[in-house]
Amino acid sequence: MRVIVIGAGEVGTAIAEALYRNNDVVVLERDHARYELLQSLDILVIEGNGSSPKSLLEADVDKANLLIACTNVDEINIVACATSKQLNPNLTTIVRVQDPDYLTNWQEGYLGVDVMVCSELITAKFIAMNLSMPEAKYVNEFAGGKILMTEVKVRRGSQLDNVTITDSRPPSGCNVTSIIRNGQIIIPSGEDVLTSGDLVVSIGKPKAVAEFNRRMTDNTSFQSVAIIGGGRIGFRLARILESKGMAPYLIEADEERSRWLSERLKNTLVLHHDGTDVNFLKQEKIDSVDVVVNVTGTEEKNLLSALLLKRMGVKRVFCRVNQPSHSQAFEMVGVDVAISPRKLIAEEIIRFTRDSGTEAVSMLEEDRAEVLELEIPENSKLSHRLLGDKLFPPGTIVGAILRNDQVIMPQGEDVLLPGDHAIVFAEEDKVKTVEALLNP
Amino acid sequence: MKRSTVVEVRPALHLIAAIIRWLSLTYLPPLIASFYYRESFWPFLIPMILAVIIGFVGERLTRSPKELGIREGFLVVALAWLSIAAFGALPYIFSNVNLINAYFESMSGFTTTGATILNDIAEQPRSLLLWRQFTQWLGGMGIIVLAVAILPKLSVGGRQLMEAEAPGPQVDKLYPRIYQTARTLWLLYVGLTVVEFAIFKMLGMSFYDSLGHALTNVATGGFSPEPRSIEAFGPAIQWVVIVFMVIAGTNFILLYRVISGRFNRLWQDREFHFYLGLIFIAGLTITLLLPGDSWEENIRHGWFQAITMITGTGYASTDFDQWSSTLKMILLTLMFFGGCAGSTTGSIKIVRFVLVIKFLFRELRKAIHPQAVIPIRLGNQVVPENALGGIIGFTVLYFTTFAFGSILILLDAQRVGLDLSVLEGISVAAATLGNVGPAFGIAGPMASYDAFPETSKLLMIFLMWAGRLELFPVLVLLTRGYWRR
């Protein structure tokens, strides 16, 4: 497949990295300085403006199959897609926008873009999903929400601390697919012992997974949420939480914006103040809420306020990072979950570019492992085969199967049938092998 | 030439003269009635001729190239109502009513108050009573609204004038042009009157009574050609009056939208919900407290009196002056509500109460969260902060005016040795300021205001006038800043 990526920022680079092995990738970028970063990849980089027909033709837009516009400017992305579509009507276009209003317009059938993804909305949804599972570090839904994948840290002194997997007796419907210990990925057997600090990746029915996670953390569900930063992510997040019947706090430093937010959020208490003011946080008892989400536009401010609140006794702090590479550092110093909107949007876009069989993807531990959702095609290497037959390579494990809307927890004697959706955990270097299994 | 004021008085007077010229037409219905009933026609013919002459001459004398601005708008509205009431008083004067009484009756009519100084209503000529009913009907939807609807010279600047006159914080526009909205409102108003007239007629009322009551019911006026008000009619007619009082207390813009098929507006309009809720609770309370044995009567009289007080109509289905002090206190409280904004009612209006209460709750919440930014909503609409300030200011001003009015009325009664209890005194102030009409004691529903001293009557005329125009257009004229640069 021939792919044109417009914009080589964090998002564009991540996409190019994910795609260049299987596809011919052309990147259009205005800024010469970004070139060097892309030199290590086997791709073609063209200096030019993605919204100009000249540059697009130079990138052979007429021969391309897919165009991904992911610059930082929404309007450039939309114009680039519209222009390309005129030059090549058979082109599939994917646009990244930040303003959710464009997404709404697109959903109503305007703008003439094939796929539109909104980073702020995806981020807000991602945080909301993580909030509903407070003990989890990472949560993702598969098969339209019927299958859940979580990554949870075993807490010291919890029921499952120092217990073998067999003794932990995961509820039926929950599959422990891997343990990540000190950055090492372990595909566990029954004798492996869970120790505090381990990250456990479980896949299965949402209720069973949630139940198992609770035992691992001895956590009761959280009640109160405070959001610091009323930008687009903060606003969308508050909206989603309101729709779930919650009444979050939303702290915003700008008065005009506070008013704007308060007029649109009925059940949210909007506070107009600086989210790093300790006295204010104490006075409003933000230090005693269960979860604080720091999503201002400034990374440093997010980190400062998150660390302050963590010290003051907040159970979990979420933090927005702008540079995906900073996530790890944030988590090292005490932030529970660092969220990078750019990483999320890159993941989302990559999902659309996968071969037809692979639908949803989650990336774990800085891309060292992935969870894939495979639709088993007719006459592939997988169909009508026993799972116990060493079908999948080592380093992978089938977490759950969805057949006719029923979730099946796979055993060795189970057979994969065409039309099944298999949720597979795979280490990064095995992803190719797994995807190849879908071919006849 | 040195100018003493920045207010353009001439174009304001010019407009008022035009309104008076047109007002001459309104003497026609009673004039026709006087021929029909073979009564004296001079009380209507002389004012008609006067209005035409004064209107024409006034227009000629005040011709000026200057245009009306915001300041002149207040002057036009305030003075228009004073002069219209003066012309409205002429037929009474020519029927041997003294000057102040005539002006009182006329002002009470145009402001849809319904307070009367006529002791012997049954003795009065029918044409004069028809004029009395007709003034309320004209004042109900508003003289200025009518002027905006028909006077071509107001088709542009009419909006400010209409805002100054219309009940409630603001005028919702139905159409891009204000005169279209004004016409629609008047058309709806006429339609409602006709429908009620037809229903009365079907229920067996005489032509004269049907017309007389339809005119004052949709105006929430409360004048009745019957000395015993609505008590003189049967339960069926009383129920019809109840329904039409509720309709007349509804926002006419809302009514228009519902009639044109947008029923969902009824579920969206928060003020309307509070209005119905208030009516329900007030009526229920009175019903339960009434001592009578008949349930049907208690329900009917309970709700009738609750609604007549809330909407400031001022009809009575029974002599509520005979009720217990508790019930009278409840009725007095209800006088302050008024109907919805944009209706024909007086008083503070439901929407202002709702917003003031929401404001108070917000203050309580802000005591706990000093940094919180909490907007005040009405349904899904956020109320702008400056509008909120105006509403709270109005409410405080209203109660202040009421308090001063009560004190002055009681003081004046003491001066002349009139036996007036505190409840009666304040009920009179509330009933005139809120354009309700009948109060308690000597000003009760089956009595008249005639017993008050002349000075009190002048004060009440002021209260009715200021109350109908919702204080600001009147009080702003009394400020120094209005007349100076």
Side-chain angles (χ1 to χ4, degrees), chain B residues 189-224:
Chain B
Y189 187 59
V190 171
L192 273 178
T193 314
V194 170
V195 169
E196 198 187 5
F197 168 78
I199 294 175
F200 280 151
K201 201 80 189 54
M202 275 192 320
L203 290 173
M205 244 182 174
S206 71
F207 179 89
Y208 178 77
D209 276 343
S210 300
L211 181 63
H213 287 97
L215 287 175
T216 57
N217 193 345
V218 291
T220 65
F223 273 154
S224 169

Side-chain angles (χ1 to χ4, degrees), chain A residues 134-437:
Chain A
E135 59 280 347
K137 174 173 182 280
Y138 187 80
V139 181
N140 206 350
E141 287 174 342
F142 293 94
K146 293 208 171 60
I147 295 171
L148 194 70
M149 183 226 81
T150 62
E151 184 184 355
V152 175
K153 193 181 264 182
V154 181
R155 185 182 282 189
R156 187 177 301 278
S158 71
Q159 285 177 46
L160 301 187
D161 190 7
N162 265 323
V163 175
T164 64
I165 291 191
T166 318
D167 289 342
S168 74
R169 268 177 281 151
S172 71
C174 173
N175 207 338
V176 179
T177 56
S178 70
I179 297 170
I180 298 158
R181 184 177 296 156
N182 303 326
Q184 293 297 312
I185 297 169
I186 304 164
I187 304 286
S189 64
E191 290 84 57
D192 278 304
V193 179
L194 298 171
T195 39
S196 60
D198 284 359
L199 288 165
V200 177
V201 179
S202 326
I203 296 176
K205 297 180 183 167
K207 269 195 181 156
V209 172
E211 159 65 22
F212 187 63
N213 289 344
R214 257 192 290 283
R215 282 200 260 151
M216 233 179 314
T217 53
D218 289 339
N219 235 354
T220 47
S221 69
F222 70 102
Q223 303 293 321
S224 47
V225 181
I227 304 164
I228 298 177
R232 285 195 281 238
I233 295 178
F235 169 58
R236 292 284 149 175
L237 179 59
R239 269 249 159 113
I240 295 171
L241 294 179
E242 280 190 348
S243 73
K244 290 184 173 174
M246 296 174 59
Y249 290 89
L250 179 53
I251 298 160
E252 166 61 41
D254 181 66
E255 187 170 7
E256 233 358 76
R257 180 73 181 173
S258 302
R259 197 160 296 288
W260 187 92
L261 290 165
S262 69
E263 286 171 4
R264 279 157 187 82
L265 296 164
K266 267 195 166 174
N267 297 319
T268 303
L269 184 65
V270 179
L271 300 167
H272 163 223
H273 208 84
D274 181 3
T276 52
D277 179 346
V278 177
N279 286 332
F280 160 74
L281 294 172
K282 274 192 184 141
Q283 179 206 312
E284 284 290 347
K285 307 238 181 288
I286 303 293
D287 50 346
S288 61
V289 301
D290 296 332
V291 190
V292 174
V293 182
N294 291 278
V295 284
T296 68
T298 331
E299 228 174 39
E300 299 78 13
K301 235 176 182 170
N302 290 339
L303 183 63
L304 179 62
S305 142
L307 294 181
L308 281 171
L309 284 159
K310 189 79 185 173
R311 265 191 97 100
M312 285 157 72
V314 172
K315 284 184 209 137
R316 288 179 71 75
V317 290
F318 285 61
C319 215
R320 169 191 175 174
V321 293
N322 293 335
Q323 301 291 326
S325 48
H326 291 175
S327 304
Q328 253 183 333
F330 272 47
E331 288 176 10
M332 235 148 62
V333 293
V335 171
D336 292 289
V337 184
I339 307 137
S340 159
R342 291 179 192 165
K343 178 174 164 246
L344 290 172
I345 195 77
E347 274 182 29
E348 182 77 12
I349 291 174
I350 291 163
R351 272 181 217 193
F352 287 107
T353 62
R354 289 274 164 158
D355 295 335
S356 56
T358 324
E359 285 173 358
V361 187
S362 281
M363 293 176 189
L364 300 174
E365 289 306 296
E366 301 302 311
D367 302 350
R368 276 188 290 128
E370 289 188 12
V371 178
L372 313 163
E373 180 173 344
L374 310 174
E375 187 179 347
I376 313 297
E378 196 78 43
N379 57 42
S380 72
K381 292 191 190 76
L382 292 172
S383 45
H384 306 290
R385 294 278 302 274
L386 275 171
L387 277 179
D389 261 0
K390 297 235 163 94
L391 198 55
F392 285 93
T396 60
I397 182 164
V398 179
I401 298 167
L402 185 84
R403 180 176 298 157
N404 301 330
D405 266 14
Q406 296 291 314
V407 178
I408 299 168
M409 301 316 292
Q411 312 283 323
E413 61 269 23
D414 277 319
V415 175
L416 284 174
L417 298 176
D420 284 0
H421 283 236
I423 313 302
V424 179
F425 173 93
E427 290 178 34
E428 174 61 23
D429 50 337
K430 303 293 183 334
V431 172
K432 285 280 135 50
T433 329
V434 172
E435 283 180 343
L437 289 172

Side-chain angles (χ1 to χ4, degrees), chain B residues 266-283:
Chain B
L266 281 180
W267 313 121
Q268 289 165 4
D269 194 303
R270 297 294 287 169
E271 187 189 17
F272 184 63
H273 302 166
F274 281 106
Y275 172 59
L276 291 188
L278 176 70
I279 286 175
F280 178 76
I281 292 167

Side-chain angles (χ1 to χ4, degrees), chain B residues 419-447:
Chain B
D419 184 24
L420 193 69
S421 76
V422 174
L423 181 68
E424 286 163 11
I426 62 177
S427 75
V428 167
T432 47
L433 182 62
N435 300 143
V436 177
F440 307 127
I442 55 167
M446 310 299 165

Side-chain angles (χ1 to χ4, degrees), chain B residues 15 29 137 241 394 455 457:
Chain B
L15 191 55
W137 189 74
V241 173
F394 173 83
T455 36
K457 284 180 191 160

Side-chain angles (χ1 to χ4, degrees), chain B residues 137 140-141 183-202 210-220 240-260 272 275 315 342-345:
Chain B
W137 189 74
M141 187 42 80
R183 273 179 204 177
T184 309
L185 289 177
W186 261 93
L187 215 64
L188 178 63
Y189 187 59
V190 171
L192 273 178
T193 314
V194 170
V195 169
E196 198 187 5
F197 168 78
I199 294 175
F200 280 151
K201 201 80 189 54
M202 275 192 320
S210 300
L211 181 63
H213 287 97
L215 287 175
T216 57
N217 193 345
V218 291
T220 65
V240 172
V241 173
I242 288 180
V243 170
F244 273 88
M245 285 196 291
V246 175
I247 293 174
T250 309
N251 189 338
F252 272 60
I253 302 272
L254 174 69
L255 271 186
Y256 174 76
R257 290 192 167 129
V258 170
I259 287 171
S260 46
F272 184 63
Y275 172 59
Y315 285 146
S343 67
T344 61
T345 61

